Amino acid sequence: RAGAMSGRGRHVEAGAPYAAAAMSLVFHPAHPLVPTLRADVRLFQADGQAWYGGGCDLTPAHLFDEDAESFHTFWRDLCDQHGANLYDEYKAWCDKYFYIPARSEHRGVGGIFFDDLAADDPNTNAPEFVKAVGRGILPSWRQIAEARQQQAFSEDQRQWQLLRRGRYLEFNLLYDRGVKFGLDGGRVESIMVSAPPLIAWRYRAEPAPGSEEARLLDVLQEPRAWARPRPVVPGQ
């Protein structure tokens, strides 16, 4: 752990006592029109120093632009309360992190992601920001989920969801830093419980040209600016 931290510019002596705490959750809805939600907040302390990390991101199997806009606008507004440039920085970090190079696509439509945020960071109150992130996880997703779960869906849509879950697991096993760290530490059951409960695999599964599924794949190739314009404040 010390080597990993030092490699990211946070010097920690090997063998130094440390403490860690985290809250992590993943929702893999059975309903294919409800997007998967992944989120966490975490704290690492060592050598009298403390760093925070966390984030929240959305992975739809079927893309509704208004859902991505609502989700990103929520996190943009929350970040704005804690720092002028936090959202832009952490959205870009999320887009970069949740990328599947072998597929040349992003895992989902992103959100925010941050790591190694020092407790004494001069630009934001890190403990208060992380508390706000933790409290905002469910509100950022709940209305989307409640609306989509009322819609009817087809068996084709369900099968496409299962195929897209395969991409989710690919990222976790091949690229996710936390998953690889946990597996190296022998916590196989604790790590794999975050995987989708049911997945389908099909050789060279490609959607029909012009379909909504094909549009999703096009969107996942290049991150978008999903957040709605900030409201204009009179006098500014």
Side-chain angles (χ1 to χ4, degrees), residues 163 201-206:
L163 291 172
W201 301 88
R202 188 186 309 154
Y203 180 68
R204 295 182 64 86
E206 298 179 357

Side-chain angles (χ1 to χ4, degrees), residues 92-171:
W93 200 341
C94 187
D95 290 334
K96 181 179 180 180
Y97 184 82
F98 292 103
Y99 181 68
I100 308 173
R103 301 287 189 178
S104 298
E105 68 183 46
H106 296 263
R107 191 179 73 178
V109 295
I112 62 169
F113 178 87
F114 60 97
D115 207 357
D116 300 332
L117 175 62
D120 59 355
D121 185 273
N123 298 313
T124 189
N125 185 325
E128 291 303 314
F129 171 64
V130 173
K131 288 179 185 178
V133 170
R135 293 173 181 141
I137 292 169
L138 290 181
S140 73
W141 175 80
R142 183 183 293 118
Q143 288 188 338
I144 295 170
E146 290 175 347
R148 295 302 167 200
Q149 72 177 356
Q150 304 301 321
Q151 297 182 232
F153 62 88
S154 67
E155 180 59 25
D156 285 345
Q157 288 175 317
R158 171 64 169 164
Q159 288 303 311
W160 177 253
Q161 177 202 41
L162 299 183
L163 291 172
R164 293 307 304 171
R165 284 178 170 183
R167 291 288 199 272
Y168 193 100
L169 188 59
E170 281 182 33
F171 173 84

Side-chain angles (χ1 to χ4, degrees), residues 25-38 56-62 64 66-68 70-71 74 136-153 161:
L25 59 87
V26 182
F27 287 122
H28 291 293
H31 196 302
L33 304 186
V34 179
T36 290
L37 180 78
R38 184 222 63 91
C56 188
D57 62 276
L58 200 67
T59 304
H62 299 276
F64 296 90
E66 60 269 31
D67 293 350
S70 172
F71 184 78
F74 178 96
I137 292 169
L138 290 181
S140 73
W141 175 80
R142 183 183 293 118
Q143 288 188 338
I144 295 170
E146 290 175 347
R148 295 302 167 200
Q149 72 177 356
Q150 304 301 321
Q151 297 182 232
F153 62 88
Q161 177 202 41

Side-chain angles (χ1 to χ4, degrees), residues 192-214:
M192 293 305 295
V193 75
S194 67
L198 186 63
I199 296 173
W201 301 88
R202 188 186 309 154
Y203 180 68
R204 295 182 64 86
E206 298 179 357
S211 65
E212 281 299 304
E213 292 79 8

